[in-house]
Amino acid sequence: MGTRERIVDAAEQVIREFGIAGATTKRIAAAAGCSEALLYKHFPGKEKLLLAVLLERLPALGPALTRLRLAAGTGDVAGNLTAFTLAALEFYTRAAGIAAGVIADPSLMAGFRAMLAASGSGPHLPILALAEVIADEQRRDRVDREIDPGAAASMLMGACFHRANLSYYVDPPGDDAAWAATLVDTLLRR
Amino acid sequence: MGTRERIVDAAEQVIREFGIAGATTKRIAAAAGCSEALLYKHFPGKEKLLLAVLLERLPALGPALTRLRLAAGTGDVAGNLTAFTLAALEFYTRAAGIAAGVIADPSLMAGFRAMLAASGSGPHLPILALAEVIADEQRRDRVDREIDPGAAASMLMGACFHRANLSYYVDPPGDDAAWAATLVDTLLRR
């Protein structure tokens, strides 16, 4: 395993243990068994290191979106969307700690926001991708055309993101799978 | 203004400036013009002080829920729900920084979680309250009975919470009011 990989692994582990606020580059370098200077050679700022953890170590939303896109027009729309909803819930549950840490640190957030703007990236993109799949299923007449795809995607992703955050404070009521299925049924009903 | 009020005001101001991680009791006491000992006399833990800021200084969700409850059976359901959605979005936008700070700090979160469990409180309660209003409107036949009230409430509140968080990273696309109205229309369509 190369140094870069060791650093990303160490960052993930240190964040899980100490929170973002406690995930200093000093601590991460120590966990990775390298110097802080070497860490900075691979990651010029803490925000770049956090982005690497988010993009490379979390169960990604990308593959779940790809599966959903490939399933368009096949199988049961509600079943496909429910499976995706559960994957989104898992992703946000894992990502919530890091996302919270970025928001909680105004200077880190400023760097993160600038980096996202420069790369045209951001956490809003999965909503747009989900909206596209819903619009595609509408064109196939498998989803009610009265639904606004963007609104439906905002609500489905938002409910997952919220539930993932709520689970830090309380045990969310009900089973995840039943919860996801009820959401999709309420959204798609004709 | 009493000492307690001065401390809560100071905490809100220090959190806004330095983030939760930088909102030390030392800094808050200095901003309030009191000793740390006096701060601890009023607030035995940082989590109790944060809860006071959340409950006493933020635009509350409670009054918006009360307005929605009182409006049940009157006026336009979609209009009532859209106004509530905008109030929820404003609340979550103001609360997101503190909520993120609590999640980002594992030891603070543990204390917060225990305190919520002991008081039977928590950030999931507004979803249940919104679900009750939707169920009430269903009994009046003003909302489609095929909708699951809990799922509808999860999606509406979740979308607001998510958009509030997204606004830290990027400028969310579209106007808030139009966004809220489209959400409610997609949810309530018959």
Side-chain angles (χ1 to χ4, degrees), chain B residues 106-161:
Chain B
S107 69
L108 185 61
M109 187 74 229
F112 209 71
R113 191 178 167 99
M115 189 177 66
L116 292 175
S119 64
S121 178
H124 59 306
L125 296 181
I127 297 178
L128 300 181
L130 175 59
E132 269 174 40
V133 175
I134 293 171
D136 186 20
E137 293 285 25
Q138 284 178 318
R139 283 188 292 270
R140 297 167 195 266
D141 204 28
R142 284 161 42 97
V143 165
D144 183 353
R145 290 178 192 228
E146 293 297 309
I147 287 179
D148 180 274
S154 283
M155 289 192 283
L156 219 44
M157 297 293 260
C160 292
F161 180 76

Side-chain angles (χ1 to χ4, degrees), chain A residues 113 144 171 186-187 189, chain B residues 113 144 148 171 186-187 189:
Chain A
R113 190 178 168 99
D144 183 354
D171 293 324
T186 282
L187 198 57
R189 79 190 187 286
Chain B
R113 191 178 167 99
D144 183 353
D148 180 274
D171 293 324
T186 282
L187 198 57
R189 78 191 187 285

Side-chain angles (χ1 to χ4, degrees), chain B residues 18-75:
Chain B
F18 298 98
I20 291 252
T24 57
T25 49
K26 187 175 172 183
R27 218 169 233 161
I28 293 168
C34 76
S35 67
E36 272 188 272
L38 188 55
L39 184 151
Y40 277 104
K41 210 179 131 191
H42 286 276
F43 297 98
K46 191 172 166 184
E47 56 268 29
K48 292 231 191 266
L49 179 50
L50 292 178
L51 192 69
V53 173
L54 275 171
L55 295 181
E56 300 168 26
R57 288 298 180 279
L58 291 173
L61 210 44
L65 274 165
T66 301
R67 279 197 300 277
L68 185 66
R69 205 177 286 122
L70 292 175
T74 68

Side-chain angles (χ1 to χ4, degrees), chain A residues 111-172:
Chain A
F112 209 71
R113 190 178 168 99
M115 189 178 65
L116 292 175
S119 64
S121 179
H124 60 305
L125 296 181
I127 297 179
L128 301 181
L130 175 58
E132 270 173 37
V133 175
I134 293 171
D136 185 20
E137 292 286 25
Q138 284 179 319
R139 283 187 292 269
R140 297 167 195 268
D141 203 29
R142 283 159 45 94
V143 164
D144 183 354
R145 291 179 192 229
E146 294 297 308
I147 287 179
D148 180 275
S154 282
M155 289 193 283
L156 218 45
M157 298 294 261
C160 291
F161 180 76
H162 200 190
R163 187 173 175 90
N165 275 270
L166 290 176
S167 69
Y168 278 77
Y169 297 91
V170 294
D171 293 324

Side-chain angles (χ1 to χ4, degrees), chain B residues 7-22:
Chain B
I7 294 170
V8 178
D9 278 352
E12 192 199 5
Q13 176 199 321
V14 169
I15 288 167
R16 208 187 304 280
E17 190 169 350
F18 298 98
I20 291 252

